[in-house]
């Protein structure tokens, strides 16, 4: 699925296999399709001509200039396209296909906007065709620069390795990233489609008009597109609260993934083409977007927009480095007076892009003096003693960040103003300087840093301040604390307890407040942290204790969201209801399981299951998985047949993941053999996600892990020795590994295959480190955790 390749689909109208051709050139595969200097800073114009049968469409970056018959081949044409703008090779795209085009109707958009898909699925493109032009118009207004091409095509490709690709004027997508079926897709599917389209259209400016000079600044493309997409969606779909929820999601992901020793800086040196693919990770996308949001907050919206416009205008049709962006934004910030004159954007941002990891901010209050001392250090999942003994290569010297400090207090609970009230700074020798906060409240009022989680750092308060926060959260006035900060407090407390920096007694006391929390974000933060514990505890004798505690925690919110009852009038937050039901059914809450099985049985006995599905679209992910978990081979085969017969992309994806939920060993083994069969009905792009679904299964973990170790040569052949995919599967295994035997087996396997996997050495070290972290928690923290649960369960 790279270079210029063929993709196929089965036409349900006549049951024939049909083929299309399409390109995927990023990062360095244009060279496999035509001779070129295939690097981002060698920009050029391209004149593209495609020869094809006249029954097919020809698409490329630009509109067709003319069609000329090929004299020596009857019914064949040359499609000659207009010359492109000056652009990088990885953005060139073309396709020959027999698709139908759905033209967008948007009077505000002067660009010809068309969405292409196979004929039987073209109706699923209505939503994409509607939201795409609106997003394009919004970006033109935001950047104050018109989209420079005369047309925009969106192409749904049956076989596609990435989620989507921002080719200039011809964006390619996986079908599940572009299709939305009104009657069958969920609200979350709709948001997913909007988010992907918003991301790819943002690239038309960040990446296409102005391109990074070299791959070490890939984050300038992807981090900006990820962040700008949240602004676009918030503008057009404000009811979804995408800006807050997605940015919090990104911050929490960064705080967890970047807490390992074996992470990397955002700005990463690249010396050869094989290293580029490792950069397409959460550090580039999520951490990139998070620090851009931080910068947006500390320089202000006016300076942010003015600086972006200057940067894009100055470097249009050319290349840039991160220093060029910092310069434009500094000038704008100083002009607007939104940043101290003794600070510039580069000084601050270099500490976030050129060094790895994230800060832990320590807050020690001096209550009698009404002050607090703020210090920083790097946050690590392991204590320093372990790091110095075990780490190879050894950890670098003390890190230091320029950290914008915003805060709110009990008597001044202003969580609207997120801009910094002070700065935690570094010396010229890169040594951290302490900060003194003054005029704080007395010893009966809380202090909370990082208003609206504007920056990616964890906060460790002194014990008394934690107790004041816990008291506030357990009071009726807990909503005075911003919902994003309530989520942050839960995430920090549970993460600090995991590392041994905080007692579980205190962390679980804070967690217990969620029994009266109604908002989605705090629940998302809490359950994300508890998921790491669940993956370990499920394999121990203490699972019953954990299950009992979780029933106690989930009971009130499960009832408030009306459990598994269909939400016909969309009264409840779709993601929240799905999340709570997923956990309730996974933990065998009786009401949840009964309702799920009842929905599934109604579908199972229907006369025309492919025409009518009584399972509510927003509940299908939970219902299907629960039915497989509690069902037999007949239930599994029924759902497999529904996968084979449906044409709805989101439904196909749901079913493939749900099939991995079965607890029947023979079915899981059969499923793995189907996935990785050379003539499988399952597309290669979906294999890794299904493997992950089986690993998450209580029974499936050992089966999937052993399958990987025993069939590694077959997997190498299947992925054509694509190291990134192979290591990605291994990293999924390590997330669920926590025993001494698991760790030894992983270490032996990695040492035995280092030559094959050497291009991903950092990822391998990270995989081992994660297994070590799980093992250490199981050996050192599990006992304290379950003792605390026992005490609470007795209460």
């Amino acid at each position: 699925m790279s270079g210029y390749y063929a993709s196929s689909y089965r036409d349900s109208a006549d049951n024939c296999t049909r083929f299309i051709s399409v390109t995927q050139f990023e990062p360095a595969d244009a060279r496999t399709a035509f001779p070129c200097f295939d690097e981002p800073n060698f920009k050029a114009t391209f004149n593209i001509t495609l020869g094809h049968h006249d029954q097919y469409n020809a698409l490329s970056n630009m509109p067709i200039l003319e069609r000329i018959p090929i004299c020596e081949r009857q019914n064949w044409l040359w499609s000659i396209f207009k010359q492109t703008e000056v652009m990088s090779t990885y953005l060139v795209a073309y396709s020959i296909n027999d698709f139908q085009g759905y033209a967008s109707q948007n009077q505000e958009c002067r660009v010809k906007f068309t969405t292409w898909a196979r004929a039987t699925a073209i109706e699923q493109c209505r939503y994409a065709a509607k939201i795409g032009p609106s997003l394009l118009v919004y970006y033109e207004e935001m950047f104050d620069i018109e989209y420079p091409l005369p047309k925009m095509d969106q192409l749904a490709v049956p076989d596609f390795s990435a989620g989507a690709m921002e080719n200039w004027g011809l964006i390619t997508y996986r079908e599940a990233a572009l299709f939305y079926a009104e009657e069958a897709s969920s609200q979350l599917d709709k948001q997913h489609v909007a988010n992907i389209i918003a991301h790819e259209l943002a690239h038309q400016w960040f990446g296409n008009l102005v391109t990074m000079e070299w791959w070490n600044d890939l984050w300038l493309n992807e981090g900006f597109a990820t962040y700008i997409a949240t602004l676009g969606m918030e503008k057009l779909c404000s009811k979804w609260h995408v800006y807050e929820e997605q940015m919090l999601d990104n911050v929490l992901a960064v705080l967890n993934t970047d807490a390992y020793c074996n992470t990397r800086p955002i700005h990463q040196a690249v010396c050869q083409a094989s290293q580029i693919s490792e950069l397409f990770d959460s550090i580039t996308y999520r951490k990139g977007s998070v620090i851009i949001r931080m910068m947006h907050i500390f320089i202000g919206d006016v300076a942010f927009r003015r600086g972006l416009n200057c940067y894009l205008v100055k470097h249009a049709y050319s290349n840039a480095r991160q220093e060029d962006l910092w310069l434009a934004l500094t000038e704008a910030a100083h002009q607007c007076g939104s940043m101290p004159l003794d600070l510039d954007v580069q000084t601050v941002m270099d500490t976030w892009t050129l060094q790895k990891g994230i800060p832990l901010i320590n807050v020690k209050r001096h209550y009698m003096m009404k002050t607090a001392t703020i210090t920083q250090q790097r946050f690590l999942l392991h204590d320093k003693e372990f790091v110095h003994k075990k780490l190879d290569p050894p950890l670098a010297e003390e890190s230091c960040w320029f950290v914008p400090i915003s805060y709110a207090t009990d008597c001044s609970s202003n969580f609207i103003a997120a801009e910094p009230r002070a700065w935690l700074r570094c010396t010229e020798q890169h040594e951290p300087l302490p900060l003194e906060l003054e005029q704080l409240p007395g010893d009966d009022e809380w202090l909370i840093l990082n208003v609206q989680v504007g920056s990616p750092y964890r906060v460790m308060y002194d014990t008394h301040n934690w107790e004041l926060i816990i008291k506030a959260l357990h009071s009726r006035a807990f909503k005075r604390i911003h919902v994003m900060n309530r989520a942050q407090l839960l995430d920090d407390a549970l993460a600090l307890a995991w590392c041994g920096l905080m007692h579980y007694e205190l962390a679980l006391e804070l967690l217990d407040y969620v029994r009266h929390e109604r908002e989605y974000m705090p629940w998302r933060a809490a359950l994300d942290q508890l998921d790491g514990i669940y993956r370990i505890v499920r394999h121990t004798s203490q699972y019953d204790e954990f299950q009992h505690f979780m029933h106690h925690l989930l009971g009130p919110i499960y009832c408030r969201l009306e459990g598994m009852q269909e939400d016909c009038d969309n009264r409840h937050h779709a993601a929240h209801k799905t999340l709570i039901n997923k956990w309730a059914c996974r933990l065998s809450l009786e009401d949840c399981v009964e309702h799920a099985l009842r929905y599934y049985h109604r579908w199972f006995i229907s006369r025309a299951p492919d025409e009518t599905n009584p399972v509510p679209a927003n509940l299908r992910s939970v219902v299907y998985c629960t039915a497989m978990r509690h069902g037999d081979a007949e239930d599994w085969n029924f759902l497999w047949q529904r996968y084979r017969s449906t044409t709805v992309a989101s439904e196909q994806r749901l079913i493939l993941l749900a099939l991995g939920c079965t607890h029947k060993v023979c079915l899981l083994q059969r499923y793995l053999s189907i996935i990785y069969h050379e003539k499988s009905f399952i597309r290669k792009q979906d294999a890794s996600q299904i493997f992950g679904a089986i690993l998450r299964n209580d029974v499936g973990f050992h089966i999937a892990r052993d399958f990987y170790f025993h069939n590694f040569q077959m997997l190498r052949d299947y992925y054509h020795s694509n190291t990134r995919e192979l290591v990605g599967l291994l990293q999924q295994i390590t997330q669920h590994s926590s025993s001494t035997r698991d760790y030894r087996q992983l270490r032996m396997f990695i040492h035995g295959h280092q030559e094959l996997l050497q291009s991903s050495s950092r990822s391998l070290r990270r995989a081992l480190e994660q297994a070590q972290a799980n093992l250490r928690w199981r050996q050192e923290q599990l006992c304290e955790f379950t003792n605390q649960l026992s005490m609470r369960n007795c209460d």
Side-chain angles (χ1 to χ4, degrees):
M1 290 180 283
S2 61
Y4 185 46
Y5 69 95
S7 174
S8 64
Y9 68 95
R10 185 163 290 276
D11 190 340
S12 56
D14 56 12
N15 206 32
C16 289
T17 299
R18 305 198 182 279
F19 290 87
I20 74 164
S21 71
V22 72
T23 57
Q24 172 56 31
F25 290 159
E26 189 180 32
D29 285 311
R31 64 190 69 178
T32 68
F34 55 87
C36 57
F37 294 101
D38 194 18
E39 297 184 5
N41 61 333
F42 286 114
K43 286 196 168 186
T45 58
F46 295 86
N47 295 286
I48 295 169
T49 302
L50 299 177
H52 60 95
H53 195 282
D54 63 9
Q55 70 183 25
Y56 290 97
N57 308 305
L59 299 175
S60 187
N61 304 85
M62 298 295 284
I64 290 177
L65 187 63
E66 58 179 328
R67 293 185 177 89
I68 301 173
I70 300 177
C71 300
E72 52 282 19
R73 300 193 73 169
Q74 189 177 359
N75 300 324
W76 277 64
L77 301 170
W78 290 116
S79 285
I80 303 169
F81 294 87
K82 290 182 179 179
Q83 186 180 77
T84 70
E85 297 286 354
V86 175
M87 58 190 280
S88 301
T89 49
Y90 77 87
L91 294 169
V92 174
Y94 41 89
S95 170
I96 305 293
N97 59 70
D98 62 351
F99 287 176
Q100 284 189 12
Y102 191 101
S104 297
Q105 306 296 322
N106 187 315
Q107 294 179 350
E108 292 181 5
C109 187
R110 55 180 179 75
V111 176
K112 184 182 179 184
F113 210 106
T114 311
T115 305
W116 301 83
R118 48 192 170 87
T120 53
I122 194 67
E123 284 301 306
Q124 295 180 56
C125 293
R126 282 179 178 270
Y127 180 65
K130 177 185 177 184
I131 195 169
S134 299
L135 283 163
L136 200 69
V137 170
Y138 170 73
Y139 290 146
E140 287 183 322
E141 294 171 357
M142 180 181 176
F143 299 128
D144 197 19
I145 299 172
E146 286 191 345
Y147 171 71
L149 306 188
K151 63 96 175 174
M152 171 58 75
D153 287 321
Q154 300 188 119
L155 182 67
V157 183
D159 301 281
F160 200 65
S161 58
M165 176 61 207
E166 67 267 19
N167 313 299
W168 218 357
L170 176 56
I171 302 174
T172 44
Y173 297 84
R174 279 192 192 190
E175 290 185 334
L178 196 66
F179 290 172
Y180 172 74
E182 196 73 45
E183 74 290 346
S185 301
S186 70
Q187 185 73 18
L188 298 184
D189 293 325
K190 192 174 189 178
Q191 286 184 223
H192 176 67
V193 169
N195 186 43
I196 297 287
I197 294 172
H199 180 100
E200 302 311 322
L201 289 176
H203 270 308
Q204 306 306 300
W205 286 265
F206 269 92
N208 299 10
L209 182 64
V210 178
T211 311
M212 75 265 156
E213 191 173 279
W214 183 238
W215 296 104
N216 52 12
D217 275 328
L218 175 66
W219 81 275
L220 281 179
N221 282 16
E222 301 300 347
F224 258 94
T226 303
Y227 179 62
I228 297 299
T230 64
L231 300 180
M233 289 181 68
E234 187 68 21
K235 175 71 174 179
L236 299 179
C237 320
S238 57
K239 63 181 180 182
W240 290 341
H241 309 292
V242 170
Y243 178 77
E244 286 187 349
E245 290 181 8
Q246 194 163 312
M247 290 318 302
L248 180 75
D249 192 34
N250 289 337
V251 172
L252 299 186
V254 167
L255 293 176
N256 288 307
T257 60
D258 223 20
Y260 291 89
C261 302
N262 290 293
T263 183
R264 67 170 183 85
I266 294 176
H267 179 96
Q268 176 73 49
V270 175
C271 303
Q272 56 195 51
S274 61
Q275 295 176 317
I276 302 169
S277 62
E278 259 204 302
L279 300 183
F280 289 85
D281 63 4
S282 65
I283 298 292
T284 290
Y285 287 78
R286 290 180 177 245
K287 189 174 182 183
S289 70
V290 164
I291 67 165
I292 291 161
R293 174 176 176 251
M294 175 182 74
M295 180 182 64
H296 189 173
I297 291 170
F298 75 66
I299 69 173
D301 189 58
V302 174
F304 183 70
R305 289 172 182 254
R306 187 181 297 176
L308 290 189
N309 175 264
C310 292
Y311 166 79
L312 291 169
V313 169
K314 182 176 181 179
H315 300 283
Y317 305 103
S318 185
N319 300 80
R321 297 175 299 166
Q322 65 175 24
E323 292 85 353
D324 299 313
L325 179 60
W326 304 152
L327 182 62
L329 290 165
T330 298
E331 289 177 358
H334 286 165
Q335 286 169 6
C336 294
S338 57
M339 190 175 191
L341 292 174
D342 65 335
L343 263 187
D344 60 76
V345 173
Q346 180 166 347
T347 299
V348 174
M349 297 302 285
D350 277 357
T351 65
W352 295 91
T353 62
L354 301 182
Q355 65 182 345
K356 58 188 178 182
I358 44 126
L360 172 65
I361 305 302
N362 294 289
V363 180
K364 185 176 182 181
R365 292 181 64 183
H366 313 293
Y367 294 93
M368 296 293 289
M369 299 168 62
K370 297 189 176 182
T371 64
T373 303
I374 313 291
T375 58
Q376 62 167 296
Q377 66 190 77
R378 182 175 171 189
F379 176 71
L380 290 166
L381 284 177
H382 307 289
D383 58 53
K384 285 188 176 180
E385 184 182 344
F386 174 84
V387 168
H388 290 309
K389 280 182 182 177
K390 301 280 189 178
L391 198 61
D392 179 31
L395 199 63
E397 289 303 307
E398 191 71 50
S399 305
C400 184
W401 291 263
F402 273 78
V403 185
I405 299 295
S406 58
Y407 59 90
T409 63
D410 196 354
C411 58
S412 178
S413 55
N414 180 4
F415 284 95
I416 303 301
E419 61 272 8
R421 297 170 66 171
W423 283 88
L424 200 53
R425 300 183 182 228
C426 312
T427 66
E428 291 183 3
Q429 290 73 40
H430 203 60
E431 295 170 345
L433 290 168
L435 170 69
E436 201 78 12
L437 297 184
E438 298 178 343
Q439 296 181 323
L440 296 177
D443 60 1
D444 59 344
E445 297 187 34
W446 49 258
L447 167 71
I448 294 176
L449 264 61
N450 207 8
V451 172
Q452 294 186 43
V453 201
S455 303
Y457 59 80
R458 293 207 179 281
V459 188
M460 180 64 187
Y461 300 102
D462 58 69
T463 302
H464 184 58
N465 196 66
W466 275 120
E467 290 170 345
L468 291 172
I469 290 170
I470 291 169
K471 182 181 177 182
L473 288 172
H474 280 275
S475 73
R476 291 185 177 181
F478 73 94
K479 289 183 181 179
R480 289 178 59 220
I481 300 172
H482 194 279
V483 64
M484 294 181 80
N485 287 97
R486 303 203 299 270
Q488 171 213 18
L489 291 165
L490 286 160
D491 190 66
D492 280 350
L494 290 168
L496 292 167
W498 171 282
C499 303
L501 296 174
M502 184 174 180
H503 291 299
Y504 266 112
E505 181 182 6
L506 206 58
L508 292 176
E509 183 67 25
L510 189 150
L511 172 65
D512 200 52
Y513 106 86
V514 296
R515 280 176 50 79
H516 57 262
E517 175 63 77
R518 300 184 183 185
E519 297 291 334
Y520 167 66
M521 286 186 274
W523 273 105
R524 172 66 190 269
L527 293 175
D528 273 4
Q529 284 291 340
L530 289 168
D531 194 45
I533 294 173
Y534 168 80
R535 291 197 296 262
I536 297 173
V537 174
R538 65 178 178 166
H539 298 303
T540 70
S541 59
Q542 290 94 335
Y543 177 70
D544 287 347
E545 202 76 66
F546 178 78
Q547 184 184 36
H548 183 72
F549 171 73
M550 291 301 294
H551 283 188
H552 160 80
L553 212 60
L554 290 165
I557 192 64
Y558 178 78
C559 293
R560 185 169 296 283
L561 296 176
E562 299 179 290
M564 288 290 285
Q565 292 180 41
E566 183 176 2
D567 186 13
C568 297
D569 52 1
N570 296 318
R571 281 176 301 169
H572 302 301
H573 189 296
H576 197 185
K577 189 175 174 77
T578 301
L579 177 69
I580 298 301
N581 282 320
K582 182 187 82 171
W583 272 86
C585 280
R586 176 204 262 182
L587 293 162
S588 301
L589 199 67
E590 190 175 344
D591 182 78
C592 188
V593 174
E594 284 182 2
H595 273 86
L597 297 182
R598 204 175 300 148
Y599 279 127
Y600 191 77
H601 183 67
R602 205 179 302 159
W603 189 28
F604 186 89
I605 63 173
S606 65
R607 293 184 178 180
D610 294 323
E611 280 75 52
T612 306
N613 184 345
V615 182
N618 287 339
L619 296 175
R620 287 180 186 179
S621 62
V622 179
V623 169
Y624 295 174
C625 186
T626 306
M628 294 303 97
R629 193 182 293 125
H630 295 271
D632 55 21
E634 200 175 358
D635 294 308
W636 198 93
N637 289 326
F638 172 82
L639 196 60
W640 172 249
Q641 288 305 316
R642 304 292 73 76
Y643 165 73
R644 296 290 310 279
S645 58
T646 185
T647 59
V648 177
S650 58
E651 184 77 353
Q652 288 177 333
R653 181 177 173 276
L654 271 189
I655 291 173
L656 287 175
L657 296 178
L659 289 167
C661 295
T662 180
H663 280 192
K664 304 296 181 187
V665 172
C666 58
L667 289 175
L668 289 170
Q669 291 171 333
R670 172 187 164 195
Y671 196 22
L672 284 165
S673 67
I674 291 172
I675 297 165
Y676 291 108
H677 193 278
E678 60 181 11
K679 294 182 180 178
S680 177
F681 293 109
I682 295 171
R683 297 187 185 275
K684 189 168 290 189
Q685 66 201 28
D686 297 318
S688 296
Q689 283 188 308
I690 303 169
F691 187 85
I694 296 172
L695 281 171
R696 289 191 293 274
N697 178 343
D698 297 349
V699 175
F701 166 68
H702 298 98
I703 294 166
R705 180 198 61 190
D706 294 346
F707 179 87
Y708 181 89
F709 291 145
H710 296 152
N711 297 278
F712 185 68
Q713 184 57 50
M714 179 273 290
L715 291 170
R716 280 188 67 206
D717 295 338
Y718 177 85
Y719 287 112
H720 301 287
S721 296
N722 183 332
T723 304
R724 185 170 179 242
E725 289 283 357
L726 292 168
V727 173
L729 296 181
L730 192 63
Q731 286 179 313
Q732 292 191 73
I733 291 171
T734 61
Q735 286 180 355
H736 302 267
S737 301
S738 63
S739 70
T740 304
R741 178 178 174 273
D742 288 343
Y743 179 68
R744 285 175 180 163
Q745 191 175 17
L746 274 168
R747 193 171 58 181
M748 284 177 60
F749 177 83
I750 288 173
H751 287 325
H753 295 85
Q754 275 186 331
E755 288 185 13
L756 295 172
L757 302 172
Q758 62 185 353
S759 63
S760 298
S761 57
R762 181 184 56 79
S763 298
L764 291 176
R765 291 197 304 271
R766 159 66 192 279
L768 269 177
E769 189 185 350
Q770 178 148 25
Q772 281 178 313
N774 290 348
L775 176 59
R776 288 191 76 223
W777 187 88
R778 184 169 177 167
Q779 292 173 338
E780 298 175 13
Q781 302 285 91
L782 177 60
C783 186
E784 184 204 344
F785 176 73
T786 50
N787 284 342
Q788 288 298 324
L789 292 192
S790 299
M791 293 168 63
R792 290 176 179 282
N793 289 340
C794 290
D795 293 344

